[in-house]
Amino acid sequence: MPVHLVLRRPSPTTVSFTVSNASKHTSTPARVLFYLQILLRALVFLCIVFCDIAKVRHSFFHEDGSLVRWTAVWSSPLGSFVCRIVDAYRKGYTEESLLVIRGLGIQTSTSSATYLSKAATRFIPTTQIQDIVIHEAFKGFEVRFYLAVIVEGEPDVVVVFPKLLPRRAILEEVWRGSRRCLYEAKS
């Protein structure tokens, strides 16, 4: 899927760059269909969980002291069906962001693969940021560019959009905007 950049500037000292490969739900019917699909998935998931609980309710508290025999649950046909349904809860897209706040630092965030877990975030204070650079690397037989933050005292750089690795034009726009926000003289 093509990667696109969303730039938000809530204040003169804050800027947010979000890179995503999610499809844009621009029309009202597309948005309604999208939210109905999420609601339907949640209802199916809850029905399956309740059916599975009803099936194993008699197997609570066994001789070995465990509450539920999970191996029996997940190896059953219904358990494997639940696993397939949970796999359907994968988002199908990735969203990564960089939030730059002058005087405080930057926060990187990568969305989770499912709707059921939260995003992974990391905050780097301004005092630890040595530089923000665009590096190039080889992936197979192609050259890939990536945005990296050089952090004081760390042996490795922090890659900003590690899963999506957007094209160079997007990286240059984020690089310019983040440096401008971090290092611009106070007006």
Side-chain angles (χ1 to χ4, degrees):
M1 282 192 250
V3 174
H4 59 278
L5 173 69
V6 176
L7 179 99
R8 293 182 187 93
R9 192 174 271 280
S11 75
T13 60
T14 305
V15 64
S16 170
F17 304 96
T18 302
V19 177
S20 176
N21 62 357
S23 63
K24 295 180 181 179
H25 303 289
T26 54
S27 66
T28 304
R31 286 183 187 159
V32 169
L33 186 63
F34 174 72
Y35 291 119
L36 282 176
Q37 181 184 14
I38 290 175
L39 181 65
L40 181 65
R41 285 181 174 183
L43 290 174
V44 168
F45 176 76
L46 289 175
C47 289
I48 290 172
V49 167
F50 288 139
C51 289
D52 209 17
I53 288 172
K55 181 179 177 185
V56 297
R57 72 179 180 269
H58 64 278
S59 60
F60 286 111
F61 297 111
H62 299 284
E63 300 84 35
D64 60 357
S66 65
L67 187 64
V68 177
R69 287 183 288 165
W70 290 110
T71 54
V73 172
W74 299 123
S75 63
S76 70
L78 189 58
S80 63
F81 183 68
V82 168
C83 290
R84 285 195 302 272
I85 294 297
V86 169
D87 286 341
Y89 272 90
R90 298 206 178 277
K91 289 183 181 177
Y93 66 90
T94 302
E95 207 170 72
E96 298 178 314
S97 65
L98 173 69
L99 176 67
V100 182
I101 304 172
R102 185 182 306 144
L104 285 177
I106 63 173
Q107 177 177 309
T108 62
S109 177
T110 301
S111 67
S112 65
T114 66
Y115 291 107
L116 305 174
S117 58
K118 61 182 185 173
T121 60
R122 175 165 183 201
F123 180 78
I124 305 169
T126 304
T127 56
Q128 293 182 350
I129 299 173
Q130 289 184 335
D131 203 0
I132 300 174
V133 295
I134 296 177
H135 280 292
E136 60 184 17
F138 293 103
K139 185 175 181 180
F141 288 108
E142 65 179 317
V143 176
R144 299 299 306 251
F145 295 94
Y146 62 95
L147 188 68
V149 179
I150 301 172
V151 181
E152 184 179 336
E154 290 192 18
D156 296 326
V157 297
V158 176
V159 179
V160 176
F161 305 118
K163 291 185 179 177
L164 292 177
L165 294 174
R167 62 185 192 279
R168 185 176 173 181
I170 291 175
L171 292 177
E172 288 176 356
E173 186 177 347
V174 173
W175 177 76
R176 282 189 202 97
S178 59
R179 288 184 61 88
R180 190 178 312 122
C181 186
L182 270 180
Y183 302 121
E184 192 173 76
K186 294 179 181 176
S187 310

